[in-house]
Each structure stands twice: as structure tokens, then as C-alpha cells.
């Protein structure tokens, strides 16, 4: 056997790998080699089949050799490697994601060996201006298990072969006495030559571990390959290493913008947390997740567990897209219910017949394994609710393929489901909607009526489609009537709509289960959060009887910086909502947040504003909780500036203006980076008292402000300067009349340490 290239990946650190045959060192491309938002760190090595292996993160890790092996024609070649896939490879056009390649697809030159959609092993070579490909088809590479793979091209005898764990899984004939056409492209490991980009991310990068990558300039036969595999297994004493393959949160340590005490995915892309449930003393939350990179693509259901809804522990994905299954194109949002000791997930998938969004479910295996962490789920694999395009209302018919995000509950033995959609008439959107379905067994559902339909013409910010409907009790009014909140996330057919991904709307009203009617107190919708980052609502009633709302906080920063950070988005803090005595919606962070208070910086009461400012000069922190009560006196504007640099060139102002009854966050000076979104966010709120009460949470780029238990204002800021950590209490005039009634500031703990 003539070995021409061999990468053992046994380096323990550093930015290069060595070709053991040629002695040449190749640079490893990796997003954190020259990190922008934290200290640089080396590409990750983890235990491999022999020594170490190299982790390819799925979007930024690859190795390039400008010489490679394809500068001349090749008559025979064998490639072998050990790989462990973190997640299934995914390509809309079913192209190959390379383990190793040196090819030019347009010019029909070279070769590529790697994985197609859902980890189908594939090998493609260029011969006389034609591509020849061999694929493993149904025999795919499993996730999270070390797998030996090999590809063989024999131009003399005219065949190509693929092997998995020493067994031949594919064979095809090619012209005899043929050669692979050479190319001037570089040899690349872990990324397809000339790969496509999506939102700054390379989307043809391998996601997982590679070890013992070897290339021979001869075609090994079946016995030789089986012998190589068996020798590896013998040296391993028959047991493959159980290497940790999941995203390591520690790689993000020191990121100046990544929150540390908010719920956040281990890494890469996160969207709305959803389907909260409580089971056997544990809280569960799931979330939309792409583990392949910080972009919206190939959505999984991430899974976290907690004792208190504050401290979270990572669990394996609950749901993943699977080949040939109803959720092949993504496991989209839904909700959860515990029914007769059986946790059940109801979620959005794609109907294989109509190609439209539909609703399906998955069941926990708890009844079989008694695992209270609910790590395993079994999918039903077929729709339980389909979009019925014959449904017609006075607002018209539904928009096709906009039928998603079921919210379910059970009442007096009957299951209810709301499904988000939207209506259109004569080609014009008329309003978002939630449709109501009922069932007696969770598997067979009957459409009843529109639960509620919006008025897009009158309230255009409420969207053309409604996503993520949430319907929960919030308490009784003075007459003893139970009041409910109905929340929706607006969606716009034009993704560039100025209102897109900025708001959540709600109505408070009554529910008559006999007539299946929700009657809002007012037709006019109310804005849940006065900022422009709080989206993706979900919720449930916890064991204490509290109604809890979860959300995603949109990052709203340039895509290139999400790529350079390696992550995108995080959840807001869990919010307890309730009906106040005055009939308004009351809200605040759940009381369990107190467990994160690490150190009390200051605790003062009844102090003039100027004096209070001197007392807080020493506080320099970006992970704090603030309880602030201000007697406005005669000042029109009062508040606090946060994330302030010593010279005030960077700062963010949180302020209440009495004359207009507005709360706002002024981000005009929040960052010196001109590429970032700034401006003023806020809105009307009548606090109806002389004391302004602000409950503020700062967590790196996160700001959440709860105002007099009436409203919340969520925003994002991205200061450039490392010294933008200060605070300054403020009033625009008549400062001497302003008193700080209460000011307590705590340093906060990280929740994933």
C-alpha cells in the first residue's frame, strides 16, 4: 500500500495539522483563531480513534492545501477516515458536503468524498468531462458514533466503491483505463471546494470529528479495507471511544456580548423557546436550534431541564429532522402537555402529500424507561391536523403553507388546540388568525371555528400571519370572572417588512368553552414589550399556579458578526404575568431570579440623585440586576444611563418622560460601531404614580426593563469599548427635586458554570 497523505490529527493544540507523509503543515481555518469578541482560541481537539481528533464545527472549520494530490491525473486512489457526525448534513440541492475533496464542479475536475443529505456517504470523480458518483443510499452514517469510511477508485479495472465499517455498501462501474481529471483547486478537508454561503456562513462544511485521514495512490481491495478496519477494532479491544461530540459552551467564554445568566443554546443558532412543561419535579423547555451553525437552517428541538426555570442543564436534542420522515425539512415550533403521566409534544412539520405545514406529535418514552429527564421521544410520524384549504370565513381563505405552531391545553376531558395561520381575500392579506380544534384523544382532531382573527388593514403591525399563539389564564377580575391572555407573534410575507420580528401582541378577555368563544375586552391589540427584540412567545401555568411567559430575544446585529461570534439569539428571562386589581396586565421576572444574586454592590434609600451618583461610581459591571425607585419631583425626565464609558461616549439611557408618559431606551450612543442598529425604542405607559419603579437586568448585550409591574422593555446593545461598564442616574432638569427612594444593585452569577 502506497500512502501519499496522512493526517493523524494528534496535535494537542495550535492552528496547524501535519501531513505525516509529506511533513507539510496545513493551517486550520477556524472562526476563533482571530476571535473578534473574545480571546482567540485554537480549533478544538477531542479524543479520537488514535490519540486526538479534530472537531469541525459545521460552519468555520476546514483545512486547505494549495498543492494537494490532484495536480496530475490519477488512475487509482483510496481514501479512508474515521468520522463522528454531530448532526446530519443538509443540502437543499443534495450536493456532497466534503470530508475531503479537490474538485471543481463546474469544470468537471477532481474528486469529492463526503456526505449528502442525512449522511448518505458519497464519492464523486471527474472522468473525461463527466461526473461519476457512487452513493450508499439507504446505508447512512449514524450520529454520535465513530464510523470508519472508505472510498475506492480503480480506473484500470473501471469501478468505484464505498465502505462503511469495513463492509462494501456501494459499487458502480466507470470506463476502464480511465483517470480522474486533474484540477488547480486546493485540496480541502472539512469543506466543499467553492461552497455556497448563506448569511456569511459556509453551508457545505462538515459538522463533527475526523481522525486518521489517509489517502493511497492505489485501489485497495475489499479484503485489505476490511483488514484495516478490523485492525483498528482489535487495537481498541473491540470498543469504540465514547467521545463527547456536543457543542462545548466553554468555547464562548469571554464573549463580550453573549449573555451569561439568560437561557441560551450551547452554541450556534437559537430561536424561540417553546413547549414548557413541568414533570416529576423538573421543568423542561425546548427551543428551535440549528447545531450546524449560527444561521436559520435544519431546525432541531433543543432541550433543557431545570429545577427552578433559572438554572438550566443541557440535554440531548428532543427532536431532529430525519430522512423520509414527516419532519425531514425541520422540526418546527409547538407546545407540550402532560396527559395521564404521559408527556407529549405537539409540533409543526410538513405534510408529505400536500407539501404544506401540518401538525404532528411525539411521545416521551417515560412509561418505558422512567427517565424523568425525558431524553427520548417517539414520533407519531404522520399528521394529526392538516391545513384544510376549503375553510373560508368572511376574511377569506387561508394563506397556503402558513399553518403552524400549535398551542394545546386540556379542559374537562377535552383537548383544545390553536394553530396559527392567516387569511387573504382576492390576493390581499386580511388578518392573522388562530384556528380552534378539539379532540378527545390527541390523535383525532375536529376543526371548530376561528378562535380569533385579526384586522390587518386596521392594525398592520399585527401581521398577515399569526405565529406562536398562546392562550392562558391570568386571574379573576372583581366580578369573579376568569380572565385570559391571548398572545400572537406577527409574521409578514415580506421578510423586509419594517415590523418583522419586532413585536408580540396580546388581548385580554374571557373564554366560554360552551360556545368555544374568546371575547376580548377590546378589539385593539396591546403590545407586550415596548422594545423591538421580544418575540416568539410561549407559556404555561406552573405548579405554583403562576402563568409564565418565555420568549426569544432577537440579536438584531449584522449577520457577519453572528458568524464571527459563532452564536445567534437567546431567551429572555421567564416572566410571571397576572391580572392586577385595576384590571391591567401585571408582570415581573419570576422570583427565582433572586438565586442568581452574587454580590450586593449597593443598597440605599431616600438619597438625593447627585449623592447617589457619587455612591455608585465604583460599580463597573455588565452582568447586574438593578432595583430602582425614583421620586420624579419636578423633573420631566428621569432614569439611569447604563453601560457607560468614563467619558460618556458610549452609554445607553433608560428614561421615563412624564409629559408624554413614555418609557424609552435611547441607544443613540450605545455603540461606536456604525454598522449596528441604534435609535430609540419605547412607548406609552401611564404609571399613574409619582414614583418610577424600574427593575433592570443587564447581561452583556441584553437589557430588560420592567416598569412599575406594568410593562417590559427589552433591547440589545453592543458597546465596543471594554470600559463601557458604568452607571449614571439622571434627570433632565430640576435635579435637586429628584430623590432616589430605593437603589439596590447586585452582581449576577452565570447559570451554566
Amino acid at each position: 500500500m502506497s500512502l501519499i497523505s496522512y493526517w493523524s490529527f494528534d496535535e494537542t493544540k495550535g492552528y496547524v495539522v501535519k501531513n505525516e507523509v509529506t511533513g507539510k503543515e496545513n493551517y486550520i481555518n477556524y472562526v476563533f483563531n482571530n476571535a473578534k469578541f473574545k480571546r482567540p482560541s485554537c480549533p478544538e481537539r477531542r479524543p479520537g480513534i488514535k490519540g486526538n481528533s479534530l472537531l469541525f464545527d459545521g460552519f468555520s472549520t476546514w483545512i486547505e492545501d494549495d498543492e494537494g494530490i490532484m495536480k496530475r491525473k490519477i488512475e487509482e486512489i483510496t481514501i479512508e477516515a474515521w468520522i463522528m457526525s454531530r448532526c446530519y448534513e443538509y443540502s437543499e440541492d443534495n450536493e456532497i458536503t466534503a470530508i475531503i475533496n479537490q474538485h471543481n464542479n463546474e469544470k468537471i475536475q477532481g474528486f469529492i468524498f463526503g456526505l449528502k443529505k442525512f449522511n448518505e456517504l458519497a464519492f464523486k470523480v471527474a472522468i473525461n468531462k463527466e461526473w461519476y458518483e457512487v452513493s450508499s443510499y439507504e446505508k447512512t452514517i449514524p450520529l454520535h458514533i465513530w464510523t470508519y469510511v472508505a472510498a475506492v477508485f480503480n480506473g484500470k479495472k473501471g469501478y468505484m466503491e464505498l465502505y462503511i465499517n469495513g463492509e462494501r455498501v456501494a459499487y458502480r462501474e466507470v470506463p476502464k483505463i480511465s483517470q480522474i481529471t486533474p484540477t488547480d483547486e486546493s485540496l480541502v478537508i472539512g469543506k466543499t471546494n467553492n461552497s455556497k454561503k448563506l448569511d456569511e456562513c459556509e453551508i457545505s462544511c462538515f459538522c463533527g470529528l475526523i481522525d486518521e485521514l489517509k489517502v493511497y495512490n492505489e485501489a485497495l481491495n475489499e479484503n485489505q479495507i476490511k483488514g484495516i478496519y478490523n485492525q483498528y477494532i482489535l487495537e481498541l479491544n473491540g470498543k469504540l471511544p465514547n467521545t463527547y461530540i456536543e457543542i462545548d459552551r466553554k468555547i464562548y467564554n469571554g464573549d463580550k456580548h453573549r449573555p451569561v445568566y439568560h437561557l441560551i443554546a450551547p452554541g450556534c443558532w437559537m430561536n424561540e423557546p417553546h413547549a414548557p412543561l413541568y414533570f416529576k419535579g423538573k421543568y423542561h423547555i425546548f427551543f428551535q436550534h440549528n447545531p450546524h451553525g449560527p444561521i436559520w437552517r435544519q431546525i432541531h428541538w433543543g432541550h433543557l431541564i431545570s429545577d427552578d426555570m433559572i438554572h438550566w442543564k443541557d440535554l440531548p436534542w428532543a427532536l431532529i429532522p430525519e430522512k423520509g420522515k414527516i419532519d425531514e425539512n425541520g422540526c418546527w415550533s409547538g407546545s407540550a402537555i402532560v396527559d395521564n403521566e404521559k408527556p407529549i409534544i405537539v409540533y409543526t412539520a410538513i405534510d408529505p402529500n400536500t407539501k404544506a405545514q401540518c401538525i404532528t406529535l411525539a411521545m416521551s418514552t417515560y412509561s418505558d424507561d422512567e427517565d424523568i429527564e425525558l431524553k427520548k421521544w417517539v414520533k407519531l410520524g404522520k399528521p394529526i391536523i392538516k391545513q384544510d384549504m376549503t375553510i373560508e370565513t368572511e376574511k377569506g381563505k387561508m394563506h397556503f403553507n402558513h399553518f403552524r405552531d400549535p398551542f394545546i391545553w386540556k379542559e374537562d376531558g377535552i383537548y383544545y388546540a390553536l394553530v396559527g395561520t392567516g387569511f387573504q381575500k382576492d390576493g390581499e392579506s386580511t388578518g392573522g388568525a388562530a384556528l380552534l380544534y378539539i379532540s378527545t384523544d390527541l390523535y383525532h382532531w375536529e376543526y371548530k371555528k376561528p378562535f380569533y382573527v385579526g384586522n390587518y388593514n386596521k392594525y398592520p403591525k399585527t401581521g398577515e400571519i399569526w405565529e406562536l399563539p398562546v392562550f392562558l389564564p391570568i386571574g379573576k377580575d372583581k366580578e369573579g370572572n376568569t380572565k385570559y391572555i391571548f398572545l400572537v407573534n406577527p409574521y409578514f410575507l415580506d421578510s423586509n417588512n419594517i415590523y418583522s420580528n419586532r413585536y408580540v401582541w396580546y388581548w385580554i378577555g374571557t373564554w366560554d368553552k360552551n360556545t368555544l368563544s374568546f371575547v376580548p375586552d377590546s378589539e385593539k391589540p396591546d403590545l407586550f414589550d415596548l422594545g423591538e427584540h421580544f418575540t416568539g412567545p410561549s407559556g404555561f401555568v406552573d405548579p405554583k399556579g403562576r402563568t409564565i411567559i418565555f420568549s426569544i430575544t432577537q440579536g438584531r446585529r449584522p449577520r457577519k458578526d453572528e458568524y464571527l461570534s459563532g452564536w445567534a439569539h437567546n431567551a429572555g428571562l421567564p416572566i410571571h404575568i397576572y391580572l392586577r386589581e385595576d384590571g391591567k396586565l401585571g408582570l415581573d421576572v419570576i422570583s427565582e431570579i433572586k438565586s442568581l444574586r452574587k454580590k450586593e454592590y449597593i443598597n440605599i434609600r431616600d438619597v438625593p440623585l447627585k449623592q447617589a451618583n457619587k455612591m455608585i461610581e465604583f460599580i463597573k459591571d455588565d452582568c447586574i440586576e438593578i432595583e430602582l425607585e425614583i421620586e420624579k419631583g419636578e423633573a420631566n425626565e428621569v432614569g439611569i444611563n447604563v453601560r457607560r464609558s468614563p467619558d460618556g461616549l458610549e452609554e445607553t439611557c433608560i428614561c421615563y418622560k412624564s409629559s408624554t408618559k413614555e418609557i424609552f431606551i435611547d441607544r443613540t450612543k450605545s455603540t461606536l460601531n456604525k454598522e449596528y442598529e441604534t435609535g430609540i425604542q419605547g412607548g406609552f405607559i401611564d404609571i399613574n404614580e409619582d414614583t418610577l419603579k424600574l427593575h433592570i437586568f443587564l447581561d452583556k448585550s441584553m437589557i430588560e426593563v420592567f416598569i412599575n409591574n406594568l410593562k417590559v422593555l427589552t433591547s440589545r446593545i453592543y458597546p465596543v469599548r471594554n470600559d463601557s461598564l458604568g452607571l449614571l442616574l439622571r434627570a433632565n432638569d430640576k435635579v435637586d427635586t429628584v430623590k432616589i427612594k430605593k437603589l439596590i444593585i447586585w452582581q449576577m452569577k452565570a447559570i451554566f458554570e
Side-chain angles (χ1 to χ4, degrees), residues 37 254-262 601 618-626 642-644 696-704 717-727 745-750:
F37 301 108
D255 184 312
K256 66 189 296 182
H257 299 313
R258 181 175 166 92
V260 299
Y261 68 86
H262 282 71
Y601 277 127
F618 74 98
I619 300 174
K620 309 294 180 185
D621 206 332
D622 57 4
C623 293
I624 57 177
E625 175 189 358
I626 303 171
V642 300
R643 299 299 307 274
R644 187 176 191 274
I696 303 169
F697 295 89
L698 302 182
D699 190 3
K700 303 296 184 176
S701 60
M702 282 284 298
I703 299 182
E704 288 161 295
I717 56 172
Y718 299 95
V720 171
R721 290 175 49 165
N722 292 329
D723 62 352
S724 294
L725 300 169
L727 303 169
I745 302 174
W746 294 271
Q747 185 181 51
M748 301 295 272
K749 302 174 188 175

Side-chain angles (χ1 to χ4, degrees), residues 387-433:
Q387 184 176 29
D388 182 357
M389 292 303 295
T390 66
I391 293 174
E392 188 167 3
T393 73
E394 62 181 17
K395 290 292 185 77
K397 292 187 175 183
M398 281 184 279
H399 285 283
F400 177 70
N401 200 29
H402 289 285
F403 185 79
R404 52 185 175 268
D405 308 335
F407 179 84
I408 61 173
W409 76 96
K410 186 178 183 182
E411 198 172 348
D412 295 334
I414 301 296
Y415 302 96
Y416 300 84
L418 300 182
V419 180
T421 186
F423 287 106
Q424 56 86 24
K425 182 181 288 186
D426 300 327
E428 297 292 329
S429 294
T430 54

